[in-house]
DNA sequence: TAGATTGTTAATCGATTAACAATC
DNA sequence: TAGATTGTTAATCGATTAACAATC
């Protein structure tokens, strides 16, 4: 039974995104039902955690028969996407930005990168990987026009803070930041930083700790 | 006082990496000493957490005078890098791989991407962004030759598991994985996955929850 | 029915924060 | 000295896991 609207933890949201990905694979394989212990094995979790994570998505689990794959995918989509295709902006059309564009384009049905932005006149005005690139100055205008709520920030570290400030000023609701900079703000924007250097230094540290 | 060898949590290691980055900036700015509350503000943490994180790096903090910036950088380097330049392999010379190569090359003094690997004959044998690209078949050989302990995995999702298995077979100690796949293993390799899609879907979800 | 799995509460575990004596 | 900050232990908080009645 779903509670009216318990807030769901960030970790649970992350895992739901991953469960969905695996569920779609199972769907392709023609699997109709799945048990919590099967799903948990795919992500090295515990069955209890899977069941707990699935509580807020609306209990369509069935004792002894597990979860219906199709239904579960649908319910997770309702929760994560609101059945709404989200328009995304990508700020920074350098190497990393273009790689991300390639990586995130294609068969995604819940979001779509609709516009790029860069401050390099060599880049804006052009179409890059099938997407139009605008000048940073047009950020506010285009974000409104395309109804963009989430931005991916792939600019060099030095430019990250200033660009983030502009973004936040436009009323954007979430930022996925790839610059190695912590972004401080007093607003309620949700900011998620994927810090590549941090992750690599962590891996290097633990490479030495194992055996 | 440093304890013989308490194991340090992953979260603390991550934060130490970030502290170091900011400390280097402070160093450039000519700042000689720093308080825990200053450092904490830069990462939106608490002073108590900073002090706690710094305990295992060897207490060079001084009551009322804070920490010496230069010394702290050195001590963190001792802990994270062992004062040893680490040789890294990059597997996958596609868009993402090449972007990562550009991103991680340059003025890094604690690690160095020394070899690329790809299974595309168009790519291996060539020099890409200044680094030689080898065929995946040469993985074991070259990893031994270059004394590589950590690998960055930037291959397409479909290839991730098989490639990871080969990697683990070579005796690599840590993997930084960019493929949207959970990698299961019975070995002790340290595996860190940076899941871009997961992070984006999370940002999209919370873009709707704010206000 | 018997066996297995779910949803959910209680117990456990780990990480963060508060507090404070020691120190500069 | 008085004020401020550190190192570290104790208290709190949140997330994970265990347990089990309800159910298929």
């Amino acid at each position: 039974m779903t509670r009216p609207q318990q807030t769901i933890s960030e970790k649970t949201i992350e895992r739901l995104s991953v469960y969905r990905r695996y569920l779609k694979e199972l769907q392709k394989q023609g699997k109709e039902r799945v048990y919590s212990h099967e799903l948990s094995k795919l992500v090295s979790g515990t069955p209890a955690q899977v069941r707990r994570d699935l509580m807020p998505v609306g209990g369509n689990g069935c004792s002894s028969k597990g979860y219906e794959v199709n239904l579960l995918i649908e319910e997770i989509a309702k929760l994560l996407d609101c059945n709404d295709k989200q328009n995304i902006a990508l700020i920074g059309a350098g190497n990393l930005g273009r790689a991300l564009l390639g990586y995130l384009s294609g068969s995604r049905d819940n979001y779509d990168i609709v516009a790029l932005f860069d401050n390099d006149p060599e880049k804006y005005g052009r179409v890059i990987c099938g997407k139009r690139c605008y000048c940073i100055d047009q950020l506010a205008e285009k974000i409104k026009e395309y109804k963009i709520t989430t931005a991916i920030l792939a600019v060099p570290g030095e430019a990250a803070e200033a660009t983030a400030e502009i973004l936040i000023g436009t009323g954007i609701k979430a930022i996925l930041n790839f610059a190695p900079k912590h972004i401080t703000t007093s607003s309620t924007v949700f900011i998620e930083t994927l810090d590549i250097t941090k992750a690599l230094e962590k891996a290097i540290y633990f490479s030495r700790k194992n055996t």
Side-chain angles (χ1 to χ4, degrees), chain A residues 99-203:
Chain A
L100 291 172
L101 181 58
Y103 187 87
L104 294 169
S105 295
S107 58
R108 316 277 173 156
D109 47 1
N110 47 341
Y111 52 85
D112 193 13
I113 295 176
V114 293
L116 317 184
F117 296 88
D118 206 295
N119 63 2
D120 178 355
E122 289 288 310
K123 288 178 186 138
Y124 60 74
R126 289 177 44 206
V127 171
I128 299 174
C129 304
K131 311 282 174 176
R132 178 152 300 275
C133 184
Y134 300 99
C135 176
I136 294 271
D137 297 342
Q138 293 181 275
L139 214 41
E141 176 195 336
K142 293 296 169 189
I143 281 180
K144 221 161 262 168
E145 186 182 324
Y146 285 114
K147 296 194 175 61
I148 290 167
T149 55
T150 301
I152 300 171
L153 191 56
V155 300
E158 315 84 67
E161 279 159 311
T163 315
E165 234 172 88
I166 299 173
L167 265 175
I168 294 169
T170 69
I172 204 107
K173 291 286 186 280
I175 297 176
L176 176 57
N177 172 40
F178 282 87
K181 282 283 169 192
H182 177 80
I183 291 163
T184 347
T185 175
S186 54
S187 89
T188 60
V189 223
F190 177 84
I191 299 176
E192 172 79 359
T193 296
L194 274 193
D195 190 328
I196 296 170
T197 309
K198 179 177 84 175
L200 180 57
E201 294 197 335
K202 179 181 171 186

Side-chain angles (χ1 to χ4, degrees), chain A residues 32-50:
Chain A
E32 284 178 11
R33 308 199 132 268
V34 66
Y35 297 119
S36 58
H37 58 85
E38 295 175 300
L39 217 37
S40 72
K41 231 168 257 166
L42 293 172
V43 301
S44 298
T46 64
Q49 182 165 75
V50 170

